Amino acid sequence: MESSKNSLIPSFLYSSSSSSPRSFLLDQVLNSNSNAAFAEKSPAPAPAAARASPTTMLSRKNFLIASPTEPGKGIEMYSPAFYAACTFGGILSCGLTHMTVTPLDLVKCNMQIDPAKYKSISSGFGILLKEQGVKGFFRGWVPTLLGYSAQGACKFGFYEYFKKTYSDLAGPEYTAKYKTLIYLAGSASAEVIADVALCPFEAVKVRVQTQPGFARGMSDGFPKFVKSEGFGGLYKGLGPLWGRQIPYTMMKFASFETIVEMIYKYAIPNPKSECSKGLQLGVSFAGGYVAGVFCAIVSHPADNLVSFLNNAKGATVGDAVKKIGMVGLFTRGLPLRIVMIGTLTGAQWGLYDAFKVFVGLPTTGGVAPAPAIAAVTDAKA
């Protein structure tokens, strides 16, 4: 019994020397029901003598940090640390995924701007490879990384905040009854803020990707853009960007939450709380991919407008509709965007929930387990 306990902790913590100042009498800590961070549940309260033991009090003060694999440990739900974790998870999920699919985004933007030259996905890759080489496939990756990291931070962080806020305002009964409306309102509110952060980077990205020779990337592209169109030009595409991203994000979050709930309800026999973390993350990716397909379809017309306006100096929405046509707004570049956004959204939800699991939070969607956060506090003498 002693060896099994000792094997789990550094040797200096269970030194056999009773006179050593580093000897904390760990057996008393492990066997004391008064220490909630390490003791198993017991129906009988700890004896008063054990609670008052000076050695136990010392142990309480020196064993506050629990292993991340221990049950009941993690970040308190809806605390500042919770929102900070969701914000950082959003940075990882959106910034990294969008940067990874830069080649697809590059071909898509050029197909939207110059369909006569870039007639298909395969020919688009061939033309870019011939004209710019392999290096050209990642042109604009810096504004992509920075812009979508900022957007992801606001998108996921504020979504969790607004979802909780609107749920509290509605009350438990109406939240359960109208939960989809809560998802839609929370995601729309978050995206309004997120797009303000994204818009300047998106303007530079599109210009760099669709006008060869304009700039190498963000460092020289940003000042050139501002010199040409002023700081106001960076937000010229904000309206169409809202038109693209707000429906996209509403679909992304509401459909994801609904799809994941249906998967746990109809496709998996065990409750979510009994599923392994690997299975839960697999559900997150699958739900995200399907949600991404819907996202691509509803937001595609506005995506064409954003690409056109950011590429043509002084262009208006009317100019874009006249040149592209209504049918073109809904169909030009759509197959590639479905593949790109489906993969992107699936990967985003997978990364986001993987980070939440890493810091001790439950995955998003389904029947969320009740927070099992054990409060470990210093004993007051």
Side-chain angles (χ1 to χ4, degrees):
M1 183 66 179
E2 285 293 317
S3 62
S4 65
K5 290 178 184 177
N6 293 348
S7 66
L8 299 177
I9 50 181
S11 59
F12 71 84
L13 293 177
Y14 52 86
S15 170
S16 60
S17 174
S18 60
S19 62
S20 170
R22 294 181 300 182
S23 177
F24 294 143
L25 298 179
L26 197 59
D27 281 340
Q28 294 189 33
V29 178
L30 293 171
N31 296 324
S32 173
N33 289 330
S34 64
N35 193 325
F38 295 90
E40 296 180 356
K41 294 180 180 179
S42 174
R51 290 198 301 270
S53 170
T55 304
T56 303
M57 298 297 287
L58 176 62
S59 300
R60 283 182 184 178
K61 294 181 180 179
N62 286 279
F63 291 91
L64 297 179
I65 301 177
S67 165
T69 60
E70 290 179 324
K73 307 299 184 293
I75 296 173
E76 182 182 354
M77 293 292 288
Y78 310 117
S79 65
F82 168 79
Y83 292 117
C86 294
T87 298
F88 190 76
I91 292 174
L92 295 178
S93 67
C94 290
L96 294 179
T97 53
H98 275 276
M99 183 189 69
T100 302
V101 299
T102 296
L104 286 173
D105 187 45
L106 185 63
V107 174
K108 185 264 299 179
C109 287
N110 281 282
M111 288 176 66
Q112 292 172 330
I113 297 303
D114 192 357
K117 181 178 180 181
Y118 300 89
K119 297 180 180 179
S120 66
I121 298 172
S122 58
S123 67
F125 276 106
I127 293 170
L128 288 173
L129 180 62
K130 182 179 179 180
E131 294 183 350
Q132 303 176 33
V134 176
K135 187 178 180 180
F137 286 128
F138 284 92
R139 194 170 74 250
W141 72 269
V142 174
T144 298
L145 174 62
L146 296 178
Y148 283 94
S149 293
Q151 186 212 37
C154 298
K155 184 197 297 279
F156 282 92
F158 279 111
Y159 171 69
E160 299 287 1
Y161 170 77
F162 284 121
K163 182 171 72 170
K164 175 67 164 58
T165 299
Y166 295 155
S167 296
D168 289 343
L169 290 174
E173 181 182 352
Y174 287 107
T175 295
K177 188 175 182 180
Y178 301 109
K179 57 188 174 183
T180 301
L181 292 179
I182 299 290
Y183 303 149
L184 292 171
S187 58
S189 300
E191 191 60 35
V192 169
I193 300 171
D195 288 344
V196 174
L198 169 65
C199 195
F201 299 97
E202 182 76 357
V204 176
K205 175 188 79 75
V206 172
R207 187 67 60 89
V208 169
Q209 289 181 335
T210 59
Q211 291 187 12
F214 172 74
R216 295 187 305 274
M218 185 70 185
S219 60
D220 58 337
F222 185 84
K224 279 187 177 181
F225 194 103
V226 173
K227 184 178 180 180
S228 173
E229 302 194 30
F231 284 101
L234 293 170
Y235 285 94
K236 180 179 65 175
L238 182 59
L241 187 63
W242 274 332
R244 180 188 80 182
Q245 290 297 130
I246 291 176
Y248 166 88
T249 302
M250 292 171 72
M251 181 65 72
K252 174 180 180 175
F253 283 88
S255 62
F256 172 81
E257 299 259 17
T258 303
I259 291 166
V260 167
E261 182 178 343
M262 292 176 67
I263 290 175
Y264 282 115
K265 187 174 182 179
Y266 298 109
I268 298 178
N270 298 326
K272 178 182 176 180
S273 58
E274 297 179 8
C275 296
S276 67
K277 294 301 182 184
L279 178 57
Q280 291 184 34
L281 293 177
V283 171
S284 294
F285 177 82
Y289 196 98
V290 176
V293 174
F294 295 132
C295 292
I297 294 172
V298 301
S299 63
H300 194 64
D303 185 62
N304 273 313
L305 289 176
V306 170
S307 296
F308 185 90
L309 292 175
N310 285 326
N311 177 70
K313 182 178 179 180
T316 65
V317 173
D319 296 332
V321 174
K322 183 177 179 180
K323 183 168 183 178
I324 299 175
M326 289 302 297
V327 174
L329 284 176
F330 284 88
T331 60
R332 183 181 291 182
L334 180 59
L336 177 57
R337 192 158 184 268
I338 286 177
V339 174
M340 186 182 81
I341 297 300
T343 305
L344 197 70
T345 308
Q348 285 177 356
W349 278 114
L351 281 173
Y352 179 66
D353 276 347
F355 181 77
K356 289 177 72 175
V357 168
F358 176 75
V359 298
L361 291 169
T363 58
T364 311
V367 182
I373 309 301
V376 182
T377 57
D378 287 326
K380 296 183 179 179

